[in-house]
């Protein structure tokens, strides 16, 4: 329960999220993950600018999620390129672009991003991230963004298999058309894409 982990949130449960302190906002952003742990949690500088007690509480919650089986990717300024060890090299250039998009996310907008990460066995898994703006400041700059990432590897594999089968079917249809044209002189076979 998030209220047990973060008692201050229970005291402030009727307060608007944008009026919470930075530490309380970070705690609030972790509450859904504590209730229903995701497969992977990407935490972008989760303790930046927090008071030491709030930073400890946030890190304890992240460690609890890790201990409950959630893969955790921490992005910190002092370890800026650490995430590159886990993200697929083809997806790594888009990660900073996604972070830049988060800085200007609009109310009601949902940002999507698909990427691959290496799991503990060294296998690449596909994830789809969805991020939503929860509150912004008076200048409409994002204050609290909540996101989740879902493992979509099986879906990606099914798409790749479907594309492979469709390509094979096109190839076979082309071969069949050539055979029919060779057997029946003067017949014109309608080919896909013509």
């Amino acid at each position: 329960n998030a209220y047990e982990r973060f008692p201050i949130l229970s005291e402030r449960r009727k307060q608007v999220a944008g009026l919470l302190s930075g530490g309380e906002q970070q705690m609030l952003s972790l509450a859904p993950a504590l209730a229903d742990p995701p497969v992977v949690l990407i935490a972008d500088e989760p303790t930046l600018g927090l008071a030491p007690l709030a930073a400890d509480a946030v890190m304890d919650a992240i460690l609890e999620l890790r201990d409950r089986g959630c893969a955790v990717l921490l992005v910190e300024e002092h370890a800026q390129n650490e995430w590159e060890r886990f993200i697929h090299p083809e997806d790594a250039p888009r990660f900073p672009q996604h972070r830049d998009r988060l800085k200007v996310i609009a109310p009601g907008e949902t940002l999507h991003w698909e990427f691959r990460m290496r799991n503990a066995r060294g296998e690449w898994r596909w994830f789809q991230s969805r991020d939503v703006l929860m509150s912004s400041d008076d200048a409409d700059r994002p204050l609290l963004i909540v996101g989740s990432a879902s493992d979509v590897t099986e879906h990606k594999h099914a798409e790749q298999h479907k594309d492979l089968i469709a390509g094979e079917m096109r190839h076979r249809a082309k071969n069949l058309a050539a055979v029919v044209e060779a057997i029946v002189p003067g017949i014109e076979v309608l080919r896909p894409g013509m």
Side-chain angles (χ1 to χ4, degrees):
N1 183 324
Y3 288 147
E4 291 172 5
R5 165 60 71 181
F6 305 124
I8 191 72
L9 292 182
S10 177
E11 296 171 23
R12 305 222 196 295
R13 68 179 169 265
K14 293 185 180 183
Q15 192 169 338
V16 176
L19 299 178
L20 298 173
S21 72
E24 293 164 351
Q25 288 182 8
Q26 285 293 60
M27 293 173 198
L28 181 62
S29 71
L30 287 170
L34 289 168
D36 185 19
V39 174
V40 64
L41 173 72
I42 301 173
D44 187 2
E45 298 184 358
T47 59
L48 181 67
L50 301 185
L53 288 176
D56 288 347
V58 166
M59 286 308 298
D60 286 347
I62 290 172
L63 293 173
E64 176 186 327
L65 286 168
R66 182 203 61 195
D67 293 345
R68 289 169 62 187
C70 174
V72 175
L73 175 60
L74 285 176
V75 180
E76 293 284 349
E77 188 67 34
H78 63 275
Q80 189 171 356
N81 297 326
E82 184 68 17
W83 55 269
E84 290 178 347
R85 293 186 316 124
F86 302 100
I87 249 177
H88 194 280
E90 293 173 11
D91 301 328
R94 293 194 330 266
F95 187 68
Q97 295 167 358
H98 183 69
R99 287 179 66 190
D100 290 342
R101 288 175 53 213
L102 288 172
K103 293 175 186 173
V104 294
I105 188 172
E109 181 180 13
T110 300
L111 297 182
H112 298 271
W113 180 47
E114 286 188 352
F115 58 95
R116 288 162 284 183
M117 286 184 70
R118 189 185 317 269
N119 68 10
R121 292 183 300 280
E123 303 162 337
W124 291 109
R125 303 292 295 178
W126 276 97
F127 292 92
Q128 181 180 43
S129 166
R130 287 184 296 280
D131 303 289
V132 178
L133 176 66
M134 298 301 287
S135 66
S136 53
D137 64 13
D138 294 335
D140 288 331
R141 290 182 301 241
L143 285 177
L144 178 62
I145 298 170
V146 174
S148 66
S150 301
D151 187 332
V152 294
T153 304
E154 300 309 318
H155 178 74
K156 283 291 191 180
H157 289 168
E159 280 181 0
Q160 291 168 347
H161 186 68
K162 177 193 70 146
D163 292 344
L164 180 69
I165 290 173
E168 179 65 25
M169 294 300 290
R170 282 190 296 277
H171 176 73
R172 289 180 183 201
K174 188 176 177 182
N175 287 344
L176 179 61
V179 167
V180 168
E181 286 175 344
I183 294 174
V184 183
I187 193 168
E188 187 174 320
V189 178
L190 183 62
R191 292 193 168 108
M194 297 180 82

